[in-house]
Amino acid sequence: MPGTSAPRSLRAWWALRPPAAGAAVMATGIVSVGLHLTGYEVLSRIALAVACVAWLGLATDFVLRLLRQPARWRQEAGTPAALTAVAATTVLGTRFSALGWQTLAGALLALAAVLWPGLLHVVVRHWHRRMPGAVFLGCVATQGLAVLGATLAAAESTAWLAHAALVLFWLGLVLYALALLHFDPRQVLEGAGDHWVAGGAMAISALAGSKLIAADGPGLYLWNDDGDDVLRTVTVFLLVFDLTWYAVLAVGEVIRPRFRYDVRRWATVFPLGMTAAATLSVAAALEVSWLETPGEVLLWIAVAAWLAVAVGAVREERAYVASATAEEAEFTSTARR
């Protein structure tokens, strides 16, 4: 029936979503975090609501594919983009913690921690030479756990969780170094969007460092002076490294513009938002107030990029539904003849 063709086409379009679509939740979630850090609470909560709806949709799809299409699920689980499931969950958990919803944030941390080792093991086994920027998602997922763990440790005064987050923080840096050996540098000029994760992984690492620094204090003594100095130095280095990547990748976009929409462009928005959040968080943790202004500028760049990619996604969905509906109508008309 014509009235049901559009919803059916929309469901078909959704079923074709690759694991990389999880970056949309990561991007929207981190934009929400950045808006919260800069005091735009209403906009932050709107972005959070959008991220939650997308997360629920993708989580449902994740389970349905596991139950109904196990072969496809196993194939997709071996791709780096599968780790967006872990990263997106930790980003949402971090935002919920900022709202004071520690139980929900803890549940999301537990879920991400359960998914992380199995997916990471499968993904790393499939690494090869000259990979796209998605190879850095192993670092991103691990540092996402570190960020959420450190955030909850500070909120709940839980020392063991902070120490676990510190271990994940260092492990994430090891994974970054290994991923860098597999990354194809030509992606800076040729990548479809996920090449920005090379910088985004550094951004979330800097954010993790700032959260670990912020977790320490009179109520929860975690590190001695030497350990605190090392953590501060490494965090500053990570932020500088991230901003350097940001500049290199931006120049690459100018030299070789890529305006056509691709679902992997959500993996561009995420590093943009994460760099803003990391800059703002480092400014607060290290009490460097002059970083707040560039952090807010970077945030609005990320918001603009989010809007541009969202428009592209809507246009793609509408074009697909219109095309599928037209094909179905033509088939029905031909069959009636």
Side-chain angles (χ1 to χ4, degrees):
M1 295 177 60
T4 62
S5 58
R8 189 184 302 120
S9 299
L10 182 59
R11 288 194 297 270
W13 171 80
W14 179 264
L16 293 174
R17 295 300 84 201
V25 181
M26 296 163 58
T28 309
I30 198 58
V31 165
S32 175
V33 170
L35 289 168
H36 167 71
L37 291 174
T38 49
Y40 298 96
E41 194 62 27
V42 173
L43 290 176
S44 174
R45 295 196 180 204
I46 292 172
L48 176 61
V50 173
C52 288
V53 171
W55 185 91
L56 288 171
L58 290 170
T60 300
D61 195 45
F62 181 92
V63 174
L64 290 177
R65 288 187 187 183
L66 175 61
L67 297 176
R68 298 178 179 178
Q69 300 174 292
R72 177 183 176 183
W73 188 92
R74 286 192 296 270
Q75 181 183 10
E76 293 180 342
T79 64
L83 287 166
T84 60
V86 176
T89 301
T90 60
V91 170
L92 286 184
T94 300
R95 182 65 186 93
F96 284 131
S97 180
L99 287 171
W101 300 355
Q102 308 307 338
T103 301
L104 178 55
L108 290 175
L109 175 60
L111 175 60
V114 169
L115 293 174
W116 171 71
L119 287 175
L120 181 65
H121 173 70
V122 174
V123 168
V124 171
R125 283 180 54 196
H126 288 84
W127 276 2
H128 53 80
R129 295 186 60 191
R130 296 192 177 279
M131 294 188 68
V135 69
F136 292 101
L137 284 169
C139 169
V140 171
T142 305
Q143 295 292 16
L145 288 168
V147 169
L148 181 50
T151 301
L152 280 171
E156 299 290 310
S157 297
T158 309
W160 71 264
L161 192 54
H163 289 293
L166 181 64
V167 172
L168 290 166
F169 171 73
W170 292 117
L171 176 58
L173 296 183
V174 171
L175 287 169
Y176 185 91
L178 294 175
L180 192 60
L181 296 175
H182 293 81
F183 177 59
D184 183 358
R186 294 176 298 181
Q187 291 290 306
V188 173
L189 295 176
E190 301 173 1
D194 57 356
H195 54 293
W196 277 83
V197 185
M202 282 289 91
I204 195 171
S205 297
L207 180 62
S210 70
K211 293 295 185 181
L212 287 165
I213 292 169
D216 196 15
L220 188 64
Y221 181 77
L222 298 172
W223 336 116
N224 57 32
D225 290 342
D226 290 339
D228 185 64
D229 288 343
V230 169
L231 194 53
R232 287 171 178 267
T233 301
V234 171
T235 299
V236 170
F237 169 79
L238 293 172
L239 182 62
V240 172
F241 194 10
D242 167 41
L243 293 173
T244 302
W245 260 119
Y246 193 112
V248 170
L249 292 163
V251 169
E253 296 283 353
V254 172
I255 295 174
R256 190 73 63 82
R258 284 148 280 181
F259 295 123
R260 185 176 180 179
Y261 172 76
D262 189 292
V263 69
R264 287 168 289 185
R265 271 303 181 190
W266 288 113
T268 298
V269 180
F270 171 72
L272 295 177
M274 184 56 74
T275 298
T279 302
L280 292 165
S281 186
V282 169
L286 300 184
E287 299 181 348
V288 185
S289 59
W290 63 266
L291 276 176
E292 294 174 1
T293 298
E296 187 162 350
V297 171
L298 291 170
L299 173 63
W300 289 112
I301 292 174
V303 171
W306 187 95
L307 290 171
V309 175
V311 168
V314 171
R315 286 178 175 173
E316 182 200 53
E317 177 269 326
R318 291 180 66 181
Y320 179 90
V321 171
S323 175
T325 302
E327 288 180 6
E328 183 177 348
E330 182 179 354
F331 176 81
T332 301
S333 177
T334 301
R336 287 176 178 174
R337 294 174 190 169

